[in-house]
Amino acid sequence: MIAIIMGVYNGEKYIIEQIGSIIAGDCKDWKLFIFDDGSKDNTEKIVKEFVRSYPDKIYFEKNRENFGAAGNFFNGTKRVVRELAPEVEYFCFSDQDDVWVKDKLSRSLAKIKEIEGGRPALVFSDVAITAEKILYIDPTSCILNCRRAMEFAIKWLYSVDKDLKMPYQDTLAVSYTHLTL
């Protein structure tokens, strides 16, 4: 199973479209864990409607404190790993204003299984910059230095939780998968 971790904050404008794109995807072996960082808009109400419709696929939790964007993802990941779904082998991270292509999860999962070889692996996909109505503005995308981001994430997780079990923390396989829009 794939755990999809979504950190949200005042996401009512786009969250319906993103959750809908995950549900409509061709991979069905996932669970979406949504962590709300103190939204003041209708985000919670919208997400709870999805939870009622898909109780086995979508989990919602409102944070007791505000963690900020990065902290919300890290807190959500820690909650999933330790308490909510410790059996999960694969993780995806989703922003509230993303819209995923139909085969994002299936292609990402196939690629990670291809490269992992018994060590931690990271697959990241291309990004298309769009206008509000998903009109593609920059088809060439912008790619982050994923290895540095992952190294930072691992160091941050260890600084927060010294007991976190992450074998092979210094060995990381990385692959870029271009998902055609």
Side-chain angles (χ1 to χ4, degrees):
M1 180 177 77
I2 302 167
I4 303 168
I5 298 170
M6 182 187 292
V8 300
Y9 179 78
N10 291 341
E12 73 180 358
K13 189 171 183 181
Y14 300 107
I15 198 163
I16 293 170
E17 200 166 7
Q18 172 52 347
I19 295 173
S21 75
I22 293 169
I23 292 167
D26 63 356
C27 180
K28 301 301 180 191
D29 189 23
W30 55 265
K31 183 159 185 174
L32 174 59
F33 297 88
I34 301 173
F35 297 90
D36 189 316
D37 208 28
S39 294
K40 307 272 189 270
D41 64 1
N42 288 314
T43 300
E44 182 175 357
K45 180 181 175 191
I46 293 166
V47 172
K48 284 183 174 180
E49 283 297 317
F50 276 104
V51 171
R52 277 191 278 286
S53 297
Y54 301 92
D56 295 335
K57 300 298 273 179
I58 302 174
Y59 171 87
F60 175 79
E61 182 175 301
K62 189 151 189 147
N63 298 338
R64 290 184 208 127
E65 61 182 281
N66 183 275
F67 292 106
N72 193 17
F73 278 100
F74 287 125
N75 177 66
T77 303
K78 193 161 90 170
R79 292 270 299 125
V80 170
V81 169
R82 290 200 156 176
E83 300 165 30
L84 301 173
E87 73 284 358
V88 168
E89 292 184 68
Y90 300 103
F91 294 85
C92 283
F93 299 91
S94 170
D95 287 329
Q96 64 195 16
D97 60 350
D98 290 350
V99 175
W100 287 3
V101 293
K102 188 173 184 92
D103 62 351
K104 176 184 173 64
L105 281 179
S106 63
R107 289 182 66 187
S108 296
L109 184 60
K111 181 54 98 173
I112 205 160
K113 286 182 176 183
E114 175 188 320
I115 67 169
E116 65 186 343
R119 63 182 186 214
L122 175 65
V123 172
F124 61 101
S125 57
D126 205 353
V127 175
I129 307 301
T130 68
E132 185 174 340
K133 299 294 182 189
I134 313 302
L135 170 68
Y136 294 99
I137 296 170
D138 178 7
T140 59
S141 82
C142 57
I143 302 301
L144 301 175
N145 183 332
C146 208
R147 184 175 185 90
R148 288 186 63 204
M150 189 56 152
E151 289 170 353
F152 170 79
I154 289 170
K155 287 177 186 174
W156 189 89
L157 283 169
Y158 274 104
S159 73
V160 170
D161 188 349
K162 304 289 187 220
D163 297 326
L164 189 63
K165 302 287 188 264
M166 289 182 67
Y168 313 108
Q169 74 181 61
D170 296 324
T171 307
L172 181 66
V174 177
S175 174
Y176 163 75
T177 301
H178 182 79
L179 301 177
T180 305
L181 303 170

